[in-house]
Amino acid sequence: EMQLLQSGGGFVQVGRSLRVSCVASGFVLGEYSMSWVRQAPGKGLEWVSETGGDGMTREYADSVKGRFIVSRDNSKNTMYLQMSSLRVDDTAIYYCVKDSIPRNGEFDAFDIWGQGTMVSVSS
Amino acid sequence: EIVLTQSPNFQSVTPKGRVTITCRASQSIGSSLHWYQQKPQQSPKLIISYASQSFSGVPSRFSGSGSGTLFTLTINSLEAEDAATYFCHQTSSLPLTFGQGTKVEIK
């Protein structure tokens, strides 16, 4: 069974840093592009970042560009989101998600979602 | 940025009724449109990919249609377990975007 297990997150003050991790099981991480999606409390879904299967390509939403870094260690089946210069409006549940099609080279539907990790940023 | 606008924002339907949710894209996205179901306190789940492809294990009462700029999610014979918020999502171009969500309530 394909699963994504997240860890990290928590409470931080404005301007500080935090890292969330996502461990994949049941599939080979390196065969799939992966993304991070967030959801502010009571709000909708916002795509944050995407990394290609080999980790060479990385894309970001404008709202986090220059502050967040997505990375992956395929040997450990793990993806990371390093968040810096955190702001109050970064407060959200962060989900790691898997693309539905391997090695597609395109952006795909997200067929597997992690359980979510809450990140709370206070002033 | 491609904006996805869902309608309605909220729908209350009796059991065994039909739900129709529309997702309109601000520009043509071909069939790169997907639907997710999110129940309270849960992660979203993929139910329809590429406008009309049912994801594995999803009940046949869920169906999707459309292309270009107008898409529809239909739930036939609504069941109590279908109470959730439904989101559309486009993967045609960056930034990837989602609709604002449609909450479906069972009367």
Side-chain angles (χ1 to χ4, degrees), chain A residues 107-123:
Chain A
F107 302 112
D108 297 312
F110 301 145
D111 64 344
I112 304 296
W113 293 63
Q115 83 276 18
T117 303
M118 185 70 204
V119 173
S120 297
V121 186
S122 65
S123 56

Side-chain angles (χ1 to χ4, degrees), chain B residues 34-106:
Chain B
H34 322 293
W35 292 95
Y36 302 87
Q37 175 194 67
Q38 185 179 32
K39 297 181 180 180
Q41 311 309 317
Q42 294 186 16
S43 304
K45 294 179 180 178
L46 178 65
I47 53 174
I48 300 288
S49 64
Y50 295 99
S52 61
Q53 298 176 20
S54 293
F55 186 58
S56 174
V58 173
S60 58
R61 61 182 179 275
F62 290 88
S63 64
S65 64
S67 66
T69 61
L70 187 61
F71 302 85
T72 300
L73 172 69
T74 301
I75 312 173
N76 289 306
S77 192
L78 193 72
E79 297 190 6
E81 66 182 25
D82 300 333
T85 300
Y86 294 84
F87 295 93
C88 59
H89 167 222
Q90 68 81 21
T91 55
S92 175
S93 65
L94 292 179
L96 308 183
T97 51
F98 292 86
Q100 80 277 16
T102 296
K103 186 174 183 178
V104 173
E105 174 192 88
I106 312 299

Side-chain angles (χ1 to χ4, degrees), chain A residues 67-96:
Chain A
R67 301 187 298 119
F68 289 14
I69 297 174
V70 62
S71 63
R72 59 198 294 163
D73 184 341
N74 288 338
S75 68
K76 296 182 178 179
N77 260 9
T78 303
M79 180 176 68
Y80 307 95
L81 185 66
Q82 178 69 46
M83 301 178 284
S84 303
S85 301
L86 281 161
R87 310 191 296 220
V88 172
D89 61 0
D90 293 320
T91 296
I93 296 172
Y94 285 73
Y95 296 101
C96 64

